[in-house]
Amino acid sequence: MTTRLGLGLPQMRQYDLGKDVPDVARAAEAMGYGSVWVFERALFPEPATQGLYGVEGLPWPDEYRNVAEPLVTLTLAAAATERVELGTSVLVAPLHVPFQLAKALASLDAASGGRVLAGFGTGWSHDEYAASSVRPFAERGQALDELLEVCRAVWGPDPVVYDGHLTKITSAVVGPKPARPIPVLLAAGSAKARRRLVDHADGWLPAGMGAGELAGQWRRLRDLAAERGRTEPIRTVLRVNARYQAATGAAAGRRPFHGSVDQIVEDLTAYAEIGLDEILLDLQSTARDAEELKDVAAEVYEKARASGI
């Protein structure tokens, strides 16, 4: 396969976390998926004071009422697998104390033999910021900048020294260290965020856009990298929140990745032609349980391989 496939782990309320997360992770590895992923949704405001993604009037999906903590979920998957990479798409950086998150990711990478992919974003929910952010919403970019710097410091050689807005490390030994340099990927939707990615990150985590828009953004990101003198390749992982339906017609105006397995694979083929490294397929929201999630994931993977993705 020229485009690798990843699978979203079950974090929602229809799943038994202790049983289903290890089970799905093991199954994904056996099927051939190259990675398993978690996302972060800290709470569900009721009544909602802000639309989904900050879009006025757009309702929050009901499945966001109960989303398991991402690093706990990823640790369960790490203990049950040997090969798949373990990714976050994404951790909302300002909801975490930088030093504690850097140390947790380093510990997970050391324990898993060097399989962590650290995906970060700045988020959009004012309610989540009010509940747990370390800096105000207006300072979300600065919070992400500091987190990136703290991660590099904590993951690097001892003694660790850092003097930031939130984090003060005069001189310390901090372990365990990651098994290898942890790749950092960013969501990077704005022009400023794209510059941050090109200058300070290893990869890009796009989500929620049409194939034409995605191809255009990827082209602009490569052009920006060339302008800023970047020579290292940019790793790309597209996040797809699929909604599976057992039987559906080819209705006009169907949203990408909403439909039958054959339609989801058809969309995967179109997006794979953009030339991304990997597509993360999250199927958990419409699966009734872990057995259905595994069955659909297996069918998608087999048909995607057969189609040459």
Side-chain angles (χ1 to χ4, degrees), residues 11-286:
Q11 296 175 258
M12 296 175 180
R13 64 182 173 186
Q14 69 266 45
Y15 302 105
D16 180 331
L17 295 172
K19 172 179 173 289
D20 291 343
V21 171
D23 184 34
V24 171
R26 280 190 297 265
E29 186 168 76
M31 291 171 200
Y33 283 91
S35 55
V36 292
W37 296 78
V38 293
F39 75 105
E40 183 160 41
R41 192 82 283 130
L43 50 73
F44 187 100
E46 197 168 47
T49 59
Q50 181 188 25
L52 186 69
Y53 310 129
V55 179
E56 185 176 356
L58 187 62
W60 289 51
D62 192 62
E63 54 262 29
Y64 283 178
R65 289 179 180 275
N66 189 325
V67 177
E69 202 282 329
L71 290 188
V72 171
T73 306
L74 210 56
T75 301
L76 290 168
T81 55
E82 297 179 352
R83 175 186 55 80
V84 287
E85 291 188 292
L86 308 160
T88 64
S89 178
V90 294
L91 295 177
V92 181
L95 304 187
H96 299 268
V97 176
F99 178 83
Q100 292 177 344
L101 182 56
K103 187 173 173 66
L105 289 168
S107 299
L108 182 57
D109 193 73
S112 65
R115 293 190 281 144
V116 170
L117 302 172
F120 300 130
T122 55
W124 48 268
S125 170
H126 295 170
D127 293 281
E128 290 183 337
Y129 270 75
S132 63
S133 68
V134 294
R135 295 181 75 168
F137 185 79
E139 298 176 9
R140 59 196 181 278
Q142 297 97 310
L144 176 56
D145 287 336
E146 179 159 336
L147 174 62
L148 295 177
E149 293 173 355
V150 171
C151 283
R152 299 301 188 198
V154 169
W155 299 343
D158 293 322
V160 175
V161 177
Y162 184 80
D163 185 12
H165 178 84
L166 293 168
T167 311
K168 310 285 185 181
I169 310 171
T170 54
S171 180
V173 174
V174 183
K177 299 297 183 184
R180 87 317 187 204
I182 297 176
V184 171
L185 298 89
L186 300 179
S190 68
K192 184 175 181 179
R194 287 191 289 271
R195 290 193 297 272
R196 178 187 292 116
L197 187 159
V198 166
D199 293 344
H200 302 295
D202 302 290
W204 181 40
L205 286 170
M209 65 185 80
E213 182 183 356
L214 178 65
Q217 286 204 21
W218 178 219
R219 184 170 54 253
R220 288 190 292 274
L221 189 60
R222 295 197 306 272
D223 290 344
L224 179 63
E227 291 171 10
R228 299 181 74 83
R230 177 175 176 138
T231 57
E232 301 87 355
I234 296 174
R235 181 170 181 170
T236 51
V237 182
L238 170 67
R239 180 181 182 89
V240 168
N241 295 317
R243 301 191 74 86
Y244 163 72
Q245 293 174 269
T248 181
R254 179 184 65 86
R255 292 178 61 187
F257 303 103
H258 285 50
S260 67
V261 166
D262 287 340
Q263 289 170 326
I264 289 171
V265 172
E266 179 183 330
D267 294 330
L268 283 172
T269 303
Y271 277 73
E273 291 175 355
I274 296 170
L276 304 178
D277 297 314
E278 184 169 353
I279 298 176
L280 150 62
L281 191 64
D282 196 322
L283 295 158
Q284 67 175 303
S285 65
T286 48

